[in-house]
Amino acid sequence: MRPDGPDAALMLREYMAEMVRRWYGRPERPGEVDAALAEDPSDDLAPPTGLLVLARHEGRLAGCAGLRGQPDWAELTRVYVRPEHRGAGGGAALIAAIEA
């Protein structure tokens, strides 16, 4: 999945909004998620430098996970499961998909 597709962009936006909330311990402010996405873009989560996997449950988006890599290293990133899908093994499934 390309990170600039509509479903991927939605999941990455939700991921970043949650990161902003966790980092600052408060709801995100207008423009804050856009700024965070611009500061830490996900455009390298596409071949040949990466991969982005989207999870679906009953046809609906449920989460995402990304992989950045070079010949001598790899980084798991952007692991996110929507709150209503947490606790059901979605995170483990995303990580397994990335590892595969």
Side-chain angles (χ1 to χ4, degrees):
M1 177 65 53
R2 295 211 42 94
D4 57 356
D7 288 347
L10 176 63
M11 285 289 91
L12 291 168
R13 183 173 253 333
E14 288 185 25
Y15 162 84
M16 195 61 73
E18 181 160 304
M19 293 303 101
V20 168
R21 289 190 300 270
R22 286 183 182 197
W23 181 261
Y24 295 111
R26 58 163 170 74
E28 66 275 13
R29 294 179 179 149
E32 204 164 24
V33 172
D34 291 330
L37 287 166
E39 182 179 315
D40 190 11
S42 299
D43 54 344
D44 60 343
L45 300 181
T49 59
L51 171 70
L52 182 67
V53 175
L54 298 183
R56 294 184 185 276
H57 182 260
E58 297 178 354
R60 296 178 50 204
L61 286 170
C64 64
L67 177 72
R68 288 188 175 106
Q70 296 295 321
D72 57 342
W73 62 268
E75 173 190 23
L76 177 66
T77 186
R78 307 296 198 258
V79 179
Y80 172 74
V81 176
R82 284 180 161 169
E84 63 269 25
H85 297 290
R86 293 178 185 166
L94 281 163
I95 292 170
I98 291 289
E99 288 177 337

